[in-house]
């Protein structure tokens, strides 16, 4: 399939020239085209932020939710229509800050959705405050003495909570992004793909060059099926020592998804929205709860 199928004609793109988000958009379109997943098979869900705008620039079905709360509609959309491919796109502030609670509990539920987080280590849309992944000593007009809080480690948290697929890639490496995104989308269960994304306007520290110099690609010596090994890799780089690994950290096999666990799908796989409502049954149910 040609990635041009996702092209939004006349889209008024509000990102700054040179933003890493353009490359991520390109890689996502390529990954979807390679997997032959046309616009009609997809739902892209996002919150608020520069990252949250990405679905607006890709021709498909879109739900734009509240800041940090996109995983709830994404889970609901997948549960009511398990035949659709559901992809959530968020920023590091949106997902790990405002949406931190949703992030944790969605991992525990394991819906079959792909959670892509555009991690620029800053709040881009609101003009440069520190985010949960900002590094220690990162100075902003708001954190004038520099950040002193421990950076949030999304991969370590996801692995610890039993996320069934955990990966990290970098906006400056399109082939790697495409490869990782394809595997994440194909994976059955919750997949986290954290993508290092340079914000050329508000983060002058974690630039394209900085990410290149401070990351490395994991090779075949890393076995993604071993949880403790995955956790060790996820801890690298975060404490300011060593480089951040890129690649697939962790895969958990045979973990039932949220949808599979729902009793409505145990006998009948028909998506909920295609089923006829039995009004009598519904009325009896409501009546039975009256006066409780
Ligand atoms: C509940 C709530 N809190 C705060 C805001 C203001 N707000 C909008 S976008 C944003 C930060 C976005 O940062 P991030 O998610 O990292 O995305 P980026 O813009 O960097 O891609 C904030 C704090 C909001 N819209 N809603
Ligand atoms: S402010 Fe940063 S994240 Fe937002 S569009 Fe510009 S470069 Fe990209």
């Amino acid at each position: 399939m040609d990635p041009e199928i996702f092209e939004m004609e006349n889209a008024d793109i509000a990102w700054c020239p040179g933003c890493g988000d353009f490359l991520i958009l390109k890689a996502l379109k390529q990954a979807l085209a390679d997997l032959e997943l046309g616009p009609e098979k997809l739902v892209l869900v996002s919150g608020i932020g520069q990252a949250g705008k990405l679905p607006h620039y890709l021709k498909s079905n879109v739900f734009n939710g509240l800041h940090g709360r996109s995983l709830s509609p994404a889970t609901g959309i997948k549960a009511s229509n398990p035949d659709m491919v559901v992809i959530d796109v968020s920023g590091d502030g949106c997902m790990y800050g405002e949406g931190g609670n949703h992030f944790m509990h969605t991992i525990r539920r394991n819906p079959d959705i792909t959670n892509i987080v555009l991690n620029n280590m800053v709040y881009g849309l609101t003009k440069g405050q520190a985010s949960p992944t900002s590094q220690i000593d990162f100075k902003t007009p708001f954190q004038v003495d520099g950040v002193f809080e421990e950076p949030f480690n999304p991969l370590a948290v996801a692995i610890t909570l039993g996320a069934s697929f955990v990966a990290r890639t970098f906006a400056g490496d399109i082939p790697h992004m495409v490869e990782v995104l394809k595997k994440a989308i194909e994976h059955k269960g919750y997949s986290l793909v954290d993508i290092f994304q340079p914000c050329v306007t508000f983060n002058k520290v974690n630039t394209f060059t900085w990410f290149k110099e401070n990351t490395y690609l994991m090779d075949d010596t890393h076995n993604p099926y071993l949880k403790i090994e995955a956790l060790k890799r996820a801890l690298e780089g975060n404490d300011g020592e060593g480089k951040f690994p890129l690649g697939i950290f962790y895969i958990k096999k045979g973990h039932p998804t949220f949808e599979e666990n729902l009793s409505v799908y145990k006998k009948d796989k028909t998506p909920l929205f295609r089923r006829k409502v039995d009004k009598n049954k519904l009325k009896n149910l409501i009546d039975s709860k009256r006066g409780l």
Side-chain angles (χ1 to χ4, degrees):
M1 189 183 283
D2 187 341
E4 284 290 308
I5 195 167
F6 299 107
E7 211 52 40
M8 288 283 283
E9 295 95 29
N10 309 319
D12 187 10
I13 298 194
W15 290 330
C16 309
C19 175
D21 286 348
F22 285 99
L23 302 168
I24 299 170
L25 176 62
K26 189 173 172 156
L28 181 60
K29 285 179 181 172
Q30 186 64 54
L32 293 168
D34 288 356
L35 294 173
E36 299 285 325
L37 289 171
E40 71 291 347
K41 293 191 180 142
L42 284 174
V43 188
L44 296 170
V45 188
S46 65
I48 303 297
Q50 305 284 25
K53 293 176 187 167
L54 187 144
H56 307 179
Y57 308 143
L58 191 156
K59 195 193 271 173
S60 184
N61 305 292
V62 171
F63 184 91
N64 206 169
L66 299 173
H67 195 36
R69 276 70 171 166
S70 54
L71 285 172
S72 296
T75 302
I77 289 165
K78 183 69 188 176
S80 50
N81 190 354
D83 295 342
M84 296 295 271
V85 172
V86 179
I87 299 178
D88 185 289
V89 183
S90 291
D92 44 307
C94 192
M95 185 51 53
Y96 307 140
E98 284 79 1
N101 198 23
H102 291 248
F103 176 62
M104 282 191 316
H105 295 291
T106 303
I107 293 173
R108 292 178 48 244
R109 279 186 194 115
N110 196 36
D112 183 15
I113 62 178
T114 304
N115 186 11
I116 304 174
V117 184
L118 281 45
N119 183 357
N120 53 16
M121 302 181 175
V122 72
Y123 280 180
L125 190 77
T126 47
K127 302 192 186 314
Q129 301 91 342
S131 90
T133 56
S134 294
Q135 304 291 285
I136 288 182
D137 290 338
F138 181 65
K139 285 197 175 63
T140 81
F142 313 93
Q143 283 77 23
V144 288
D145 295 325
V147 169
F148 48 78
E149 293 102 334
E150 198 60 32
F152 184 71
N153 187 331
L155 305 193
V157 170
I159 294 163
T160 308
L161 288 174
S164 64
F165 183 103
V166 179
R168 180 165 54 209
T169 179
F170 166 47
D173 186 344
I174 291 187
H176 191 254
M177 273 193 289
V178 173
E179 185 199 335
V180 169
L181 285 170
K182 277 161 62 176
K183 293 211 170 104
I185 294 165
E186 282 185 312
H187 175 80
K188 195 163 145 253
Y190 170 88
S191 319
L192 172 66
V193 183
D194 184 89
I195 308 184
F196 281 153
Q197 174 243 318
C199 166
V200 294
T201 304
F202 294 112
N203 189 337
K204 304 289 188 193
V205 176
N206 308 107
T207 59
F208 275 99
T209 309
W210 187 92
F211 281 120
K212 266 189 205 144
E213 287 172 353
N214 288 280
T215 57
Y216 75 93
L217 286 173
M218 288 188 281
D219 60 22
D220 294 344
T221 56
H222 177 64
N223 181 346
Y225 297 100
L226 301 177
K227 190 168 185 174
I228 298 297
E229 292 309 309
L231 192 54
K232 278 188 201 157
R233 292 278 184 154
L235 294 174
E236 288 180 27
N238 219 67
D239 53 6
E241 278 179 33
K243 298 185 178 191
F244 291 93
L246 302 174
I248 297 170
F249 286 66
Y250 184 53
I251 304 173
K252 183 174 174 182
K253 278 189 171 166
H255 189 28
T257 66
F258 179 70
E259 309 79 66
E260 281 171 339
N261 277 326
L262 294 175
S263 57
V264 282
Y265 292 121
K266 290 261 162 49
K267 283 191 199 134
D268 184 356
K269 302 274 180 235
T270 313
L272 284 181
F273 84 97
R274 288 198 190 282
R275 298 187 196 181
K276 286 219 167 72
V277 178
D278 182 337
K279 290 201 176 135
N280 280 333
K281 222 170 157 185
L282 189 62
K283 187 178 176 304
N284 289 343
L285 179 70
I286 293 168
D287 288 347
S288 71
K289 303 289 174 201
R290 284 218 166 100
L292 281 182

